[in-house]
Amino acid sequence: MKKELTLYEVLALYVGLPKSKGYFSDNFWQKNLAWPPNMFAVCASILNETGVYVKLVSPTPSITKIYSNGIDGKSLQDISKDWKKNICNQEQHIASIWNDSKTIIDIVLNNTIMPDVIRSKVSCCFGKKNQQKSINELADDDEFVSTILFLLSLSDEACAGFGVDSPEDYEEKPSEIPLFVIVDLMLHENERKSLATFCTNRMSVLPKSLTATVGISLQSLSHHLALISGEVQAYWNDIKIDSKDPSHRQKSHLNILIIPYPYSIESEQFFVKYDAPHVPKLAKYFGYLPKPNLEYIVDITKGLILKSINSAHEVDLIVFPEATFRHDIFIDFLREMNTFFDCQKLKQKPVIIAGVIDKVDTKEVVQTIKNQEFEERNCSVLVSPHRYENEYILNRSSLKGTGYEQVKHHRWQLDHNQISTYEIGNELGSQPGDIFWEGISLENRRVVFTQWEDWFSVCTLICEDLARQEPVSSAIRSVGPNLIVALLFDGPQKKFRWPGRHATTLSEEPGSSVLTVTALGMSERSTPKTPSYIQDKDTSRTVALWRDKFEGEKELVLNDGDHGIILELSTRMNEQISADCRSDNGMSIFLTYHNHFSIPSANGSKFLKNKGKTQCV
């Protein structure tokens, strides 16, 4: 007969509790659960292990009672307000961090923060007797389950705005500014990996953007916090936009400039990798060599920015496809563009998301996976203006130091049909049944979420990671980023193809808006060898696809002779209801389609006569 885990053993597994004799004192819990993200971590871990959260949609009398009546006559909302007030009262201790007499953890693990009204509930749930009971036995204890559910809802409510709000949000509530400072210090303490002081390889707690509202899962229970568990390491970063426009924080539209570079790709850029120390049975490895023409792409981008400004669409975000740049070329590109932006005196500089082929950092390998087979890493990187205008940052050797970098999780597998479709058989020599794997380094899985001021959150996926979403799908669905940008090296972005299908699942649950972008050169190489395929210029120039929950799908076609597409998005506020029937008061943000148009670069004709000679354009 299998031994059932006790409550203590489950929490030790998830939360990484220090060694003890099998239980912890009441004083330990009163102190450690005083910080609401810690309370959320513990309660969510219990619910994740037992699955008893489903009882919220078929509530027992105990669950109905505690959610209806609260505790000692105080409602969940009133207790959460008291909890926030108690945290703000720690303002007097913040200064002690700078003189090293206290740490941020000392400040948040203060048992005076916990509202008095819930102390008895904490003592009852996490007392010695319960800690030594099996988790399955406690799952049948109606009083225990109802209390854990309520404490999770309460801690989530108390964390509204954590990791999302900016200092400007507190202009009308200056007494709550310490809350913003403490939360930011806590994230910094944990290297942007968790809001909880419990931060382990097994579990972390991050801010949340959208709530899963279809079906019932742990992600359905919270509006403001997300439990991240398993092998994936998730990060929560933020970017601030310095703008000369005083009204920029009231912006409701986001302008994205899509540059589907390279515009042509030669078959010779694909090659067989013969030097892999490990070769899978009945398979080989292939490589792809990006050949970005720095002078060309800089001039094209400058011209597109000028065209965008002339059309009254100042660019907020520039997106390039997968594998557009090599690391060294990308750094030079950022330098050139920063100089251009300064000369143009833009109201605000754009954020840049790009696909970059990088070399494996040998220092990083020691900390991730040893004995790497390949030197190349296929990365996405998000670079904010604060980073690319800093020469010290650009001079650092690591791509991770340049921006918020994420390494591709899955290798591309090319079969005979795909090799035929992209017409690279001469280089790879494929026969029916042959399989080629992308020869790139794989590392420990991580996903990076970035909060754009207090507006929306964004994360990136790289090609296969959109189709094969495990193991990061749970983290993405838990956080519910407002925007997912998928960088592809793929054929036309038509609704019926695989990117459209997988984007649909994410736009339906958790409700994220999804943009997929491929290179024009790769899209035009895609000519399926089937009787039903008919060559069509609009099809081959469909380089991007947009999908959101309200406006549906939009295919974005690059007109003949053009170099970029402006995608204009609007902000839609919508109410979401969590599984415990709490409303977010209509504060959920959805980025929705407003308009798009194809544009030429003002400098486009300059390089046309050199197209295809030595480097990709």
Side-chain angles (χ1 to χ4, degrees), residues 420-449:
S420 174
T421 293
Y422 293 114
E423 298 186 347
I424 51 178
N426 188 55
E427 287 68 31
L428 302 187
S430 171
Q431 296 295 323
D434 282 356
I435 290 176
F436 286 80
W437 288 99
E438 183 180 7
I440 56 170
S441 167
L442 296 181
E443 300 182 1
N444 291 344
R445 273 63 183 270
R446 65 177 180 267
V447 59
V448 180
F449 301 98

Side-chain angles (χ1 to χ4, degrees), residues 513 546 548 550-551 568-572 590-594:
S513 299
W546 172 262
D548 70 63
F550 297 97
E551 299 298 327
E568 186 179 4
L569 306 177
S570 59
T571 301
R572 177 167 177 166
F590 294 86
L591 296 176
T592 60
Y593 175 86
H594 180 74

Side-chain angles (χ1 to χ4, degrees), residues 6-9 11 20-29 120-134 137-138 144:
T6 64
L7 174 61
Y8 168 79
E9 290 170 334
L11 294 181
S20 86
K21 297 178 181 179
Y23 70 93
F24 285 97
S25 67
D26 183 58
N27 184 58
F28 172 88
W29 295 112
S120 62
K121 293 291 185 182
V122 170
S123 297
C124 180
C125 280
F126 300 101
K128 178 179 177 181
K129 185 177 180 181
N130 272 359
Q131 287 182 62
Q132 295 178 336
K133 286 183 179 180
S134 78
E137 181 182 354
L138 290 171
F144 175 83

Side-chain angles (χ1 to χ4, degrees), residues 85-149:
K85 183 178 179 181
N86 292 347
I87 296 171
C88 291
N89 288 339
Q90 302 303 305
E91 178 182 12
Q92 58 186 313
H93 301 298
I94 294 176
S96 61
I97 295 176
W98 313 126
N99 59 28
D100 295 329
S101 61
K102 283 183 181 290
T103 67
I104 185 61
I105 293 179
D106 294 330
I107 291 175
V108 300
L109 297 188
N110 183 334
N111 59 14
T112 63
I113 292 177
M114 183 181 289
D116 291 337
V117 72
I118 66 172
R119 291 186 184 278
S120 62
K121 293 291 185 182
V122 170
S123 297
C124 180
C125 280
F126 300 101
K128 178 179 177 181
K129 185 177 180 181
N130 272 359
Q131 287 182 62
Q132 295 178 336
K133 286 183 179 180
S134 78
I135 193 70
N136 290 334
E137 181 182 354
L138 290 171
D140 293 329
D141 183 332
D142 199 28
E143 189 66 29
F144 175 83
V145 170
S146 61
T147 303
I148 292 297
L149 287 169

Side-chain angles (χ1 to χ4, degrees), residues 29 79 228 293 360 382 426 551 609:
W29 295 112
I79 301 173
I228 312 296
N293 183 324
V360 171
L382 183 153
N426 188 55
E551 299 298 327
K609 59 183 179 180

Side-chain angles (χ1 to χ4, degrees), residues 324-576:
T324 297
F325 295 96
R326 298 193 306 270
H327 181 197
D328 56 341
I329 299 295
F330 184 58
I331 297 300
D332 290 339
F333 172 78
L334 293 175
R335 284 196 181 97
E336 293 279 352
M337 294 312 302
N338 184 56
T339 301
F340 170 74
F341 295 148
D342 286 339
C343 291
Q344 293 300 311
K345 298 180 180 180
L346 302 181
K347 290 181 180 178
Q348 66 181 54
K349 297 178 181 179
V351 174
I352 298 173
I353 294 177
V356 180
I357 299 298
D358 188 25
K359 293 288 187 181
V360 171
D361 187 334
T362 54
K363 295 179 181 178
E364 289 289 321
V365 169
V366 175
Q367 300 175 4
T368 55
I369 300 175
K370 296 183 179 179
N371 302 319
Q372 295 285 340
E373 296 176 4
F374 300 105
E375 294 183 352
E376 292 83 18
R377 307 188 312 161
N378 191 335
C379 308
S380 65
V381 62
L382 183 153
V383 190
S384 67
H386 279 220
R387 303 191 74 81
Y388 64 66
E389 63 189 9
N390 187 320
E391 189 63 29
Y392 171 77
I393 289 177
L394 293 182
N395 283 331
R396 296 177 64 177
S397 59
S398 170
L399 184 63
K400 186 186 295 186
T402 304
Y404 301 137
E405 169 239 50
Q406 184 171 306
V407 180
K408 191 174 183 179
H409 304 131
H410 298 282
R411 291 169 175 158
W412 183 14
Q413 184 195 80
L414 279 174
D415 59 21
H416 177 72
N417 287 338
Q418 288 176 296
I419 290 171
S420 174
T421 293
Y422 293 114
E423 298 186 347
I424 51 178
N426 188 55
E427 287 68 31
L428 302 187
S430 171
Q431 296 295 323
D434 282 356
I435 290 176
F436 286 80
W437 288 99
E438 183 180 7
I440 56 170
S441 167
L442 296 181
E443 300 182 1
N444 291 344
R445 273 63 183 270
R446 65 177 180 267
V447 59
V448 180
F449 301 98
T450 303
Q451 178 68 29
W452 188 303
E453 294 196 309
D454 58 356
W455 190 0
F456 64 92
S457 61
V458 57
C459 80
T460 62
L461 293 173
I462 309 174
C463 212
E464 277 62 43
D465 301 346
L466 175 64
R468 296 164 184 83
Q469 294 173 18
E470 294 298 334
V472 301
S473 63
S474 178
I476 290 174
R477 295 179 193 281
S478 294
V479 170
N482 305 102
L483 175 62
I484 298 173
V485 179
L487 310 182
L488 310 184
F489 201 59
D490 185 42
Q493 297 304 286
K494 303 296 289 183
K495 298 176 184 179
F496 61 83
R497 295 188 66 246
W498 68 267
R501 296 194 300 271
H502 293 290
T504 297
T505 63
L506 291 169
S507 65
E508 291 178 349
E509 192 68 27
S512 305
S513 299
V514 183
L515 172 65
T516 70
V517 176
T518 191
L520 175 64
M522 201 61 183
S523 184
E524 289 190 328
R525 290 200 70 87
S526 177
T527 53
K529 306 305 185 285
T530 62
S532 60
Y533 176 74
I534 301 175
Q535 184 78 34
D536 175 73
K537 180 175 286 190
D538 279 354
T539 294
S540 63
R541 298 184 72 87
T542 306
V543 294
L545 181 69
W546 172 262
R547 181 72 163 81
D548 70 63
K549 189 170 185 176
F550 297 97
E551 299 298 327
E553 291 175 315
K554 303 292 180 182
E555 296 175 353
L556 311 184
V557 178
L558 184 71
N559 293 341
D560 194 19
D562 286 355
H563 303 88
I565 296 173
I566 291 291
L567 172 62
E568 186 179 4
L569 306 177
S570 59
T571 301
R572 177 167 177 166
M573 308 293 289
N574 200 60
E575 182 182 30
Q576 289 195 303

